[in-house]
Amino acid sequence: MAPFRITPQLWEKINHFAAFPQTGVSLQQMVLFGRDPSPAARLRGSQFLAAELPIRLAQRVKELDQLPPNPSLLPSINVIKNWYAQTFEELTSDPPPSLPAGFLVAASSASSQPPLPKATPNPINLKFSRLSTTYGTSTTGVGGPSTLASKGIRKSIPMEKRFYSSPDVPNSLPPELHAFNKKFTKILESIKHRHDPTLTTVAQGVLEWKHSKSKSANRATSKYTQDWLDRFYMSWIGIRFLIGQHVALNTLEPHPDWVGTICTKTNVHDISKQAIENAQFVCEDHFGLFRGPSILVMDQHGLIGASTRSHIVFELVKNSLRAVVERHGTNEASFPPIKVVIGKGKEDITIKISDEGGGIPRSASELIWSYMYTTMNLDAQQVEENLRHSDVKGPMAGFGYGLPLSRLYARYFGGDLHLISMEGYGTDVYIHLNRLSSTCEPLP
């Protein structure tokens, strides 16, 4: 089977879609929309994603094509660009079915259903807007100058006028609409599977970029590459979240505590304990310990929130366990405990992880947020070996993605991650999670 190629006609369509603004949603909007997974609501979700995903994909294809150096010199980046372009083509090649009168509420008419609450702006969007004011020229010579830079972004459509709003249509749908929704969901499942290796394939592309530089290049990525990776991975998180949520609403049986992939009654203590146990298992297996450092969990409240925090807590506790073992040796009696404190405020759920693993020098305080920077003593061959044996479901240990990716997950719905270190003693990490879930997803 011949590799996918982007034709001039497809580039023209990509440029057209890339000029439209993205539409962000909040966790709160997703929950309220998906609580009643009626056929009409599922159809409205399909309509929204059929319109929204091509816009996000087209903008990422253009950015991938405009990376310095020429992406053709970076095989892994070229693979990602073709994956995104192929997915874009699949979503735009088949027009959606025409809707009978009454199924699509006109933008000017009022719905009898209560509107979804407006999302509050995400603070990280300010950083992304500064980075995206201008794009360069397409390196292929086919795409031409960036549409975003040369023509300007088109006006955004308010959320209440978009498909992803409370449906005001009959719950019984004609057979052709049922068939469209089922087919579209299967397409999204296939797309999600295709993009499973995106994280590690882009990481391999960064390694290729580093190999193209001088051998004395810094272990941390340059600021340009760091900013680009923040934008790309934030978009990747959003696309996967929207697809996963839609597939779950259409394939899973309704559950009183779940709306798609979102748990509405998550107990932070239970989720943290599970992540801690997983991290302890990884630590004990890696160092050959019968029992690793103990972890004390202090939970002040029973809390509700999203389950994304499991990945974040796992990564950060794993870092603390490794730091404690490497500083205090493998004598289990000498391990000081790691403390995890969970607190609830009016706006945020905060998880504090404290260790006595020796801390981080001030000279490395900025490097720890850089992709591909790791404090583990690995050579380039070992890093590449870790990449080949990693996927999005497994621990990302050993090639410097744990901290920066965890921070992006926290920021996706309005939280953040901060680290305070005392060299010679230990490190405190604060995970802030937006308790109101009303913050709009970032739109890089």
Side-chain angles (χ1 to χ4, degrees), residues 6 10-20 54-68 71 77 80-82 84-85 88 135-140 142-151 153 224 228 231-232:
I6 306 178
L10 184 57
W11 267 120
E12 185 176 351
K13 187 184 284 189
I14 288 171
N15 281 329
H16 171 75
F17 275 83
F20 287 93
I55 295 172
R56 300 193 183 196
L57 292 164
Q59 292 182 9
R60 300 289 79 76
V61 172
K62 288 179 65 66
E63 284 198 351
L64 286 162
D65 191 59
Q66 294 160 4
L67 276 178
I77 297 299
I80 295 294
K81 183 179 73 173
N82 288 336
Y84 271 60
F88 171 87
Y135 291 105
T137 302
S138 170
T139 56
T140 62
V142 179
S146 168
T147 308
L148 297 181
S150 59
K151 296 184 179 180
I153 199 80
Y224 175 90
W228 182 87
R231 290 169 52 79
F232 182 86

Side-chain angles (χ1 to χ4, degrees), residues 268 272 309 313 340-341 349-353 429-431 433:
V268 178
S272 299
R309 66 179 54 84
V313 174
V340 177
V341 181
I349 296 167
T350 303
I351 304 173
K352 175 186 175 184
I353 302 171
V429 182
Y430 294 84
I431 308 167
L433 301 165

Side-chain angles (χ1 to χ4, degrees), residues 306-317:
S307 59
T308 305
R309 66 179 54 84
S310 178
H311 167 85
I312 305 173
V313 174
F314 170 80
E315 285 292 343
L316 299 178
V317 170

Side-chain angles (χ1 to χ4, degrees), residues 108-288:
S108 59
S109 66
S111 170
S112 63
Q113 298 290 333
L116 294 177
K118 291 185 178 181
T120 57
N122 195 306
I124 195 63
N125 267 343
L126 180 61
K127 172 189 174 184
F128 286 146
S129 65
R130 288 197 298 264
L131 295 173
S132 61
T133 51
T134 305
Y135 291 105
T137 302
S138 170
T139 56
T140 62
V142 179
S146 168
T147 308
L148 297 181
S150 59
K151 296 184 179 180
I153 199 80
R154 291 181 169 91
K155 282 188 176 181
S156 178
I157 304 173
M159 170 59 69
E160 59 270 19
K161 307 298 184 185
R162 293 296 299 269
F163 294 125
Y164 208 82
S165 58
S166 301
D168 189 20
V169 295
N171 281 330
S172 59
L173 301 180
E176 61 268 24
L177 295 183
H178 275 293
F180 162 74
N181 203 43
K182 188 175 181 180
K183 178 184 176 183
F184 186 74
T185 300
K186 285 191 173 294
I187 290 174
L188 291 185
E189 287 182 297
S190 173
I191 287 171
K192 193 169 185 289
H193 178 71
R194 174 189 299 145
H195 290 268
D196 277 347
T198 294
L199 191 70
T200 50
T201 307
V202 172
Q204 183 65 45
V206 175
L207 279 180
E208 292 165 359
W209 173 79
K210 283 192 169 187
H211 291 166
S212 70
K213 310 286 282 184
S214 65
K215 292 185 178 179
S216 60
N218 194 290
R219 294 171 70 192
T221 52
S222 69
K223 186 178 187 307
Y224 175 90
T225 309
Q226 175 76 14
D227 290 341
W228 182 87
L229 287 169
D230 275 345
R231 290 169 52 79
F232 182 86
Y233 283 137
M234 187 66 85
S235 173
W236 171 81
I237 291 171
I239 290 172
R240 285 187 69 84
F241 196 91
L242 290 178
I243 291 177
Q245 176 69 0
H246 180 82
V247 170
L249 286 175
N250 282 271
T251 59
L252 300 180
E253 291 295 324
H255 190 283
D257 296 341
W258 289 83
V259 177
T261 60
I262 304 168
C263 181
T264 58
K265 295 185 179 179
T266 303
N267 185 288
V268 178
H269 180 275
D270 294 343
I271 290 293
S272 299
K273 286 286 287 185
Q274 182 181 8
I276 287 167
E277 289 171 3
N278 292 339
Q280 285 178 312
F281 174 81
V282 171
C283 173
E284 290 164 359
D285 180 67
H286 178 78
F287 289 103

